[in-house]
């Protein structure tokens, strides 16, 4: 098994309280910007529509994550590669449609992008755009390494710019009025780990090492602060925000994928350490499930998709790399269970969209 299979990693679904609200069509009332409160950004376009569009990119991210799991399964289990190709094609189509909608509603103007980045609750979600691009570049490398590297370079630089701009905003008081939640790990932790995994897949070890170091540093820094805040104030989280707790699964999953990709699929002490962190975090999430229940289905359910997909991807590689007894049937059972859950999620999403259109027409 080689590092190329390990990358396919990732596919991070990190959303926020406001991302969940936006996906249900509820404007964010915490936005301190008058333009957002008035429903327009001065151009006649709504920041609320842009926020909803960006939050819906979790559908693309989750699909790419499942595609990465199937790509790993193609190496470890001889699973058909066309399933992974189809999932990445779906992810790319959703990504293109939503990005076009974001631009149409004012996202093509730097002023509006900056406004959205500085949103205290959801600004980090713009990192979805380059993350999905990096995942796609890592998937298509077998069709042309040079083109994949150029695409990766563009999206990796964009991810770095988004993360650096957000971090500069946050350390100067940009988060003073917003409660910390795991979604903030997306641009400064998950994105560097995904960048590292993709770089290893594309044969860029120096870049992989550099971006992995960034992910580790800010995971230790932000992860400690966020976890401490959750322990101290997590009970005050409103029910729509609680599913964001599943985002805690993503750093050990994508970090483990990045490390495994850099070491050609072998599991040394560090790889086993990432596996331990992931399994323990999954156990914590299992005990949180009663608190994560929602009253009805909404698009915010996609927040669960990337943590599940990325965790599944890493576990598939771990089962094979550690040669766990019965790893092959266990791997197939895990992949089939998660894929079935995704099919149910796709079906529920289509039903919800159809009902929403019917209700709007009425």
């Amino acid at each position: 098994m080689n590092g190329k299979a390990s990358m396919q990693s990732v596919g991070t679904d990190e959303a926020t309280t406001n991302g969940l609200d936006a996906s249900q069509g509820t404007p964010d009332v915490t936005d301190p910007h008058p333009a957002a409160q008035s429903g327009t950004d001065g151009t006649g376009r709504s920041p609320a529509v842009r926020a909803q569009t960006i939050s819906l990119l979790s559908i693309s991210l989750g699909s790419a994550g499942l595609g990465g799991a199937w790509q790993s399964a193609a190496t470890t289990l001889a699973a058909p590669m066309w399933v992974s190709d189809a999932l990445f094609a779906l992810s790319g189509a959703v990504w293109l449609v939503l990005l076009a909608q974001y631009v149409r509603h004012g996202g093509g103007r730097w002023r509006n992008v900056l406004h959205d980045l500085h949103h205290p609750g959801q600004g980090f979600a713009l990192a979805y755009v380059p993350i999905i691009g990096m995942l796609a570049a890592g998937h298509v490398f077998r069709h042309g390494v040079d083109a994949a590297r150029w695409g990766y370079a563009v999206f990796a630089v964009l991810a770095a710019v988004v993360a650096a701009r957000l971090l500069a905003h946050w350390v100067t008081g940009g988060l003073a009025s917003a409660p910390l939640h795991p979604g903030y790990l997306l641009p400064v932790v998950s994105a560097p780990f995904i960048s590292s995994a993709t770089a290893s897949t594309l044969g860029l070890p120096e870049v992989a090492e550099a971006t992995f170091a960034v992910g580790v540093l800010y995971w230790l820094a932000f992860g400690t602060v966020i976890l401490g805040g959750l322990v101290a104030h997590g009970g005050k989280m409103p029910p729509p925000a609680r599913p964001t707790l599943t985002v805690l699964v993503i750093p050990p999953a994508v970090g483990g994928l990045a490390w495994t990709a850099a070491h050609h699929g072998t599991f040394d002490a560090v790889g086993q350490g990432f596996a331990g962190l992931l399994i323990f975090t999954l156990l914590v999430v299992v005990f949180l499930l009663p608190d994560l229940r929602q009253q009805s289905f909404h698009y915010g359910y996609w927040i669960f998709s990337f943590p599940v997909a990325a965790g599944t991807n890493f576990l598939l590689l771990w089962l094979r790399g550690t040669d766990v007894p019965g790893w092959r049937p266990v791997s197939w059972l895990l992949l089939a269970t998660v894929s079935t859950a995704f099919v149910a999620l796709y079906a529920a999403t289509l039903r919800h969209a159809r009902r929403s259109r019917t209700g709007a027409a009425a």
Side-chain angles (χ1 to χ4, degrees):
M1 181 172 58
N2 56 34
K4 294 180 179 178
S6 303
M7 163 283 166
Q8 288 48 297
S9 64
V10 299
T12 75
D13 199 19
E14 294 150 51
T16 68
T17 303
N18 301 316
L20 288 172
D21 291 342
S23 67
Q24 300 177 65
T26 304
D28 174 29
V29 296
T30 65
D31 193 339
H33 300 283
Q37 293 175 356
S38 66
T40 66
D41 56 13
T43 65
R45 300 179 176 94
S46 171
V49 174
R50 294 200 304 271
Q52 179 180 359
T53 300
I54 291 300
S55 70
L56 287 175
L57 279 170
S58 59
I59 299 174
S60 176
L61 187 59
S63 300
L66 184 61
W70 273 93
Q71 187 165 347
S72 291
T75 299
T76 61
L77 300 170
M81 182 62 78
W82 67 263
V83 179
S84 177
D85 291 338
L87 287 164
F88 270 100
L90 174 61
S91 171
V94 173
W95 184 83
L96 288 171
V97 169
L98 292 177
L99 190 58
Q101 182 177 355
Y102 178 77
V103 171
R104 184 163 58 88
H105 284 274
R109 296 171 178 246
W110 172 244
R111 180 183 65 180
N112 295 339
V113 173
L114 198 61
H115 170 276
D116 296 339
L117 272 174
H118 288 176
H119 191 290
Q122 190 173 320
F124 72 88
L126 280 171
Y128 283 146
V129 175
I131 284 176
I132 296 167
M134 289 190 292
L135 292 174
H139 178 72
V140 303
F141 77 95
R142 68 186 193 278
H143 300 299
V145 174
D146 290 339
R149 284 178 174 176
W150 278 108
Y152 163 74
V154 171
F155 290 117
V157 169
L158 181 58
V161 169
V162 169
R165 186 67 187 88
L166 284 171
L167 190 57
H169 178 61
W170 294 345
V171 299
T172 54
L175 292 181
S177 62
L180 292 175
H181 56 73
Y184 294 112
L185 298 174
L186 172 65
V188 297
V189 178
S190 297
F193 280 151
I194 292 168
S195 179
S196 176
T198 306
S200 292
T201 299
L202 298 178
L204 303 171
E206 296 83 2
V207 177
E209 292 166 359
T211 52
F212 185 84
V214 173
V216 169
L217 173 62
Y218 288 100
W219 186 17
L220 292 173
F222 270 79
T224 301
V225 173
I226 289 173
L227 186 59
L230 289 173
V231 171
H233 307 292
K236 298 179 181 179
M237 293 181 71
R242 291 175 186 170
T244 62
L245 295 172
T246 60
V247 171
L248 293 171
V249 171
I250 297 177
V254 296
L257 286 164
W259 181 267
T260 307
H263 292 81
H264 309 289
T266 60
F267 276 82
D268 55 10
V270 176
Q272 296 291 355
F274 274 108
L277 288 171
L278 174 60
I279 292 171
F280 179 78
T281 306
L282 286 171
L283 182 61
V284 172
V285 171
V286 167
F287 285 111
L288 286 172
L289 287 178
D291 296 317
L292 304 182
R293 290 178 300 185
Q294 302 291 293
Q295 293 181 348
S296 61
F297 180 83
H298 49 77
Y299 295 131
Y301 266 73
W302 279 93
I303 191 175
F304 298 109
S305 65
F306 189 67
V308 170
T312 298
N313 193 343
F314 183 59
L315 288 176
L316 289 174
L317 297 173
W318 176 75
L319 287 167
R320 173 64 180 89
T322 310
D323 199 22
V324 174
W327 67 269
R328 189 176 295 275
V330 171
S331 296
W332 273 115
L333 178 62
L334 176 61
L335 185 62
T337 300
V338 170
S339 298
T340 300
F342 264 77
V343 170
L345 186 56
Y346 287 126
T349 300
L350 291 174
R351 286 197 301 269
H352 184 72
R354 185 162 50 248
R355 290 172 183 170
S356 298
R357 287 196 299 269
T358 302

